[in-house]
Amino acid sequence: MTSISDIPMPPYTVHLSDGSSGEVEFGYTEGLLDVLGHELLVWTRPTDGIDPGLDWPGPKAGRRAVQNTCFRIFTAVEWGTFGYNTPLEFDLPNGTTVLTVREPETAEAVHATALAPHTPVARVGWELRRNDFGPLLPVSAAELPGLIRKCREVADRLPWDAAVPHDLTIDAASLGEDSFPVSDTYGPASPLVRAVAASLVTADEVVVGGLLHNAYLLRDAGESQHWFDSRLSTIARGAGRSAAVSRCEELAKSLSIATPEDTNAERLEMAVRVTLKTAALHDRLDAADRMRGYGPWETSLHFPERPPGQAAAEETIASVEAALAALSPAALAELVERHGDESGYEDLDIYAVTHRTGLPPGHRLLEGLSDRTGRHVEEVRPLTTTLLSATAWRMEDGESDDDTSAYVGWGLVDEYGDLLPSLELLLRLGPRPEDY
């Protein structure tokens, strides 16, 4: 039986046509006339159905989209399944795409300007039928208080003297149920999107540099911004907010943000886009996705403290507190000294970007350590950050002995175990890995 890959494609050229916005709207072929009896014109967005495909590769993949469509149509011709105005269905991981080739028209009628005016050209209509595409729903009564709280939290941190663009201002104090209409530009969570955008445009280069640094850390751990951006687009489809997140992408391109020297503009735009799309979907995300989406931005914005809502579990804090309380002031001071400001593990830094590893505001642990060691709070903070992150990670891993967290844990034991004898117990370490 002949496979698709065995079917030869004739040589042809793809011409791309720019729309009014400067993006590719459609592409058409030159070279299929002798084989098909006409050329093909393919749009970069769906022409049919209820799914606008705003998160589809679209204009960026214009030439590839035309080539893939031509290949599918040519295959249907070879297999005898082709017909004008006859839908051709092709499987997607989450549904199907449906192609329909219309009766040929002239190149002049379809604006295929690179072809002779009377060349026959068949338009290809297409539709996305994704089973995770849902209706646009309002913010639920259960999620509304949390959304309002987040808006105020972000707005309250804006620099008091910052010049916030007028289109990004919100009256945080007056937010209520009527403040989140589904028809707003960025969907029902638009006030939060504007507040986050205002935070980004008023941030200094240090915060922006931290955002980029955190995004790089996640990429190195295999959790790139591209991967999470795709996940957010999937969630947006289910919430009927594809249009909202598409406008967030446009907003990310337009924001004027203070950037450090030698900044990779494309990576910064991706990091900003993920942050804004997380805000647009805030009420549709669980705590883990919120921390993943906001983490690179918020951990930089709130540094050296942890962002609100990312405090470690009470059990984690209590365990670390008890372990440190057992040390004498002299041993504790030596531990702080050995740890130092520059000590740390990149794996812990990565974990801390998106997980609950901090202390609640005003917690007694830092002040207590400061009093006992005679050191400034900021001198003892790095040690507590390391121990909280490692302990939280080990609790999440369920005491597994072959996870990365176990290797990090044994590294901490080798470095600090003589000063903190309870470290193995604190990190719930079992037998040392043979290959460590």
Side-chain angles (χ1 to χ4, degrees), residues 286-301:
D286 60 21
D289 278 335
R290 287 174 189 167
M291 284 190 283
R292 175 59 182 82
Y294 292 134
W297 159 62
E298 286 195 322
T299 51
S300 180
L301 181 66

Side-chain angles (χ1 to χ4, degrees), residues 159 199-211 257-260 300-301:
S199 177
L200 288 164
V201 299
T202 58
D204 59 28
E205 291 186 6
V206 175
V207 172
V208 177
L211 164 62
I257 297 175
T259 55
S300 180
L301 181 66

Side-chain angles (χ1 to χ4, degrees), residues 103-115:
E103 296 282 351
E105 304 173 69
T106 65
E108 184 177 30
V110 299
H111 306 291
T113 56
L115 304 177

Side-chain angles (χ1 to χ4, degrees), residues 13 17 55 87 156 242 275 303 390 405 422:
T13 301
S17 176
D55 59 327
D156 287 346
S242 289
T275 309
F303 184 84
S405 65
S422 62

Side-chain angles (χ1 to χ4, degrees), residues 11-15 28-31 39 63:
Y12 64 96
T13 301
V14 172
H15 299 281
Y28 54 93
T29 65
E30 182 178 9
E39 302 294 347
R63 191 177 305 278

Side-chain angles (χ1 to χ4, degrees), residues 241-315:
R241 298 188 192 178
S242 289
V245 298
S246 178
R247 294 189 186 108
C248 286
E249 294 180 8
E250 296 170 6
L251 180 60
K253 295 177 183 178
S254 68
L255 293 180
S256 178
I257 297 175
T259 55
E261 292 184 11
D262 302 323
T263 294
N264 184 316
E266 183 179 346
R267 291 199 179 278
L268 176 61
E269 182 186 316
M270 171 60 74
V272 170
R273 183 165 82 201
V274 165
T275 309
L276 294 175
K277 289 171 70 170
T278 300
L281 297 169
H282 180 91
D283 58 303
R284 308 294 300 186
L285 303 177
D286 60 21
D289 278 335
R290 287 174 189 167
M291 284 190 283
R292 175 59 182 82
Y294 292 134
W297 159 62
E298 286 195 322
T299 51
S300 180
L301 181 66
H302 290 268
F303 184 84
E305 297 180 351
R306 294 289 293 151
Q310 293 199 24
E314 291 183 8
E315 179 186 359

Side-chain angles (χ1 to χ4, degrees), residues 35-370:
V35 180
L36 297 180
H38 53 75
E39 302 294 347
L40 295 171
L41 183 148
V42 182
W43 295 85
T44 58
R45 296 291 187 201
T47 57
D48 308 319
I50 63 170
D51 186 343
L54 293 174
D55 59 327
W56 199 252
K60 292 182 180 179
R63 191 177 305 278
R64 185 185 304 170
V66 175
Q67 291 170 334
N68 288 343
T69 299
C70 290
F71 184 79
R72 286 172 167 173
I73 292 171
F74 192 73
T75 300
V77 172
E78 291 287 322
W79 286 359
T81 58
F82 172 82
Y84 295 116
N85 300 314
T86 301
L88 303 170
E89 292 193 10
F90 300 91
D91 290 337
L92 295 172
N94 59 339
T96 57
T97 181
V98 183
L99 304 178
T100 305
V101 183
R102 312 299 183 190
E103 296 282 351
E105 304 173 69
T106 65
E108 184 177 30
V110 299
H111 306 291
T113 56
L115 304 177
H118 295 292
T119 303
V121 180
R123 301 182 196 235
V124 181
W126 64 288
E127 175 184 358
L128 283 172
R129 296 177 183 173
R130 296 185 282 192
N131 53 27
D132 56 0
F133 187 80
L136 177 58
L137 300 175
V139 177
S140 69
E143 292 292 340
L144 183 61
L147 185 56
I148 293 175
R149 189 164 53 249
K150 187 67 177 181
C151 287
R152 290 174 178 167
E153 172 193 305
V154 176
D156 287 346
R157 282 196 65 88
L158 294 176
W160 67 269
D161 58 345
V164 177
H166 69 88
D167 57 335
L168 300 180
T169 58
I170 64 168
D171 184 1
S174 301
L175 290 174
E177 183 178 356
D178 296 337
S179 306
F180 303 91
V182 294
S183 59
D184 208 343
T185 305
Y186 308 108
S190 287
L192 180 55
V193 174
R194 295 188 178 97
V196 170
S199 177
L200 288 164
V201 299
T202 58
D204 59 28
E205 291 186 6
V206 175
V207 172
V208 177
L211 164 62
L212 273 173
H213 174 71
N214 291 333
Y216 276 113
L217 285 178
L218 291 170
R219 179 202 64 182
D220 293 342
E223 294 189 25
S224 71
Q225 298 294 78
H226 288 279
W227 170 84
F228 193 68
D229 181 60
S230 177
R231 172 168 172 75
L232 291 174
S233 293
T234 300
I235 294 171
R237 287 198 298 272
R241 298 188 192 178
S242 289
V245 298
S246 178
R247 294 189 186 108
C248 286
E249 294 180 8
E250 296 170 6
L251 180 60
K253 295 177 183 178
S254 68
L255 293 180
S256 178
I257 297 175
T259 55
E261 292 184 11
D262 302 323
T263 294
N264 184 316
E266 183 179 346
R267 291 199 179 278
L268 176 61
E269 182 186 316
M270 171 60 74
V272 170
R273 183 165 82 201
V274 165
T275 309
L276 294 175
K277 289 171 70 170
T278 300
L281 297 169
H282 180 91
D283 58 303
R284 308 294 300 186
L285 303 177
D286 60 21
D289 278 335
R290 287 174 189 167
M291 284 190 283
R292 175 59 182 82
Y294 292 134
W297 159 62
E298 286 195 322
T299 51
S300 180
L301 181 66
H302 290 268
F303 184 84
E305 297 180 351
R306 294 289 293 151
Q310 293 199 24
E314 291 183 8
E315 179 186 359
T316 299
I317 298 173
S319 298
V320 171
E321 192 171 18
L324 294 176
L327 299 182
S328 67
L332 186 56
E334 186 176 351
L335 182 60
V336 171
E337 181 70 27
R338 185 183 297 181
H339 185 276
D341 290 339
E342 301 304 321
S343 295
Y345 287 75
E346 187 175 76
D347 287 314
L348 286 179
D349 293 339
I350 293 170
Y351 182 82
V353 169
T354 58
H355 290 78
R356 296 176 57 194
T357 61
L359 289 170
H363 194 277
R364 62 182 179 275
L365 179 56
L366 285 180
E367 289 292 346
L369 294 179
S370 176

